[in-house]
Amino acid sequence: MLKYPHVAERVQKEIEQVIGSHRPPALDDRTKMPYTEAVIHEIQRFADLIPVGVPHIVTKDTYFRGFIIPKVRAAGSMALCGRALFF
């Protein structure tokens, strides 16, 4: 949202109009804030919030589901699912 300050301002205005500063937000507020919800969904769609592709390192040669994962070689997370994918 730093890249698009006009979007951040519009979200802030919508939050202030619906919730204000006198109470915490409630789940019922979501239906009253369509722009804010759309922005949140777009951020979640666009951003990789959980790094699934983080390389893993094995400390010894590992035999897993018929595959050998060699020591100190970066293996993608798919190696843990039974596929030997190495980088």
Side-chain angles (χ1 to χ4, degrees), residues 26-75:
L27 282 175
D28 295 339
D29 296 327
R30 289 177 63 183
T31 59
K32 301 170 193 164
M33 299 187 300
Y35 187 79
T36 301
E37 186 151 355
V39 169
I40 290 170
H41 285 183
E42 182 64 12
I43 290 169
Q44 289 174 334
R45 182 189 72 82
F46 187 75
D48 186 13
L49 300 177
I50 300 174
V52 176
V54 174
H56 301 281
I57 304 292
V58 293
T59 57
K60 63 180 183 174
D61 288 349
T62 304
Y63 184 78
F64 183 75
R65 294 187 182 174
F67 296 98
I68 296 174
I69 304 171
K71 176 185 174 183
V72 191
R73 185 164 179 193

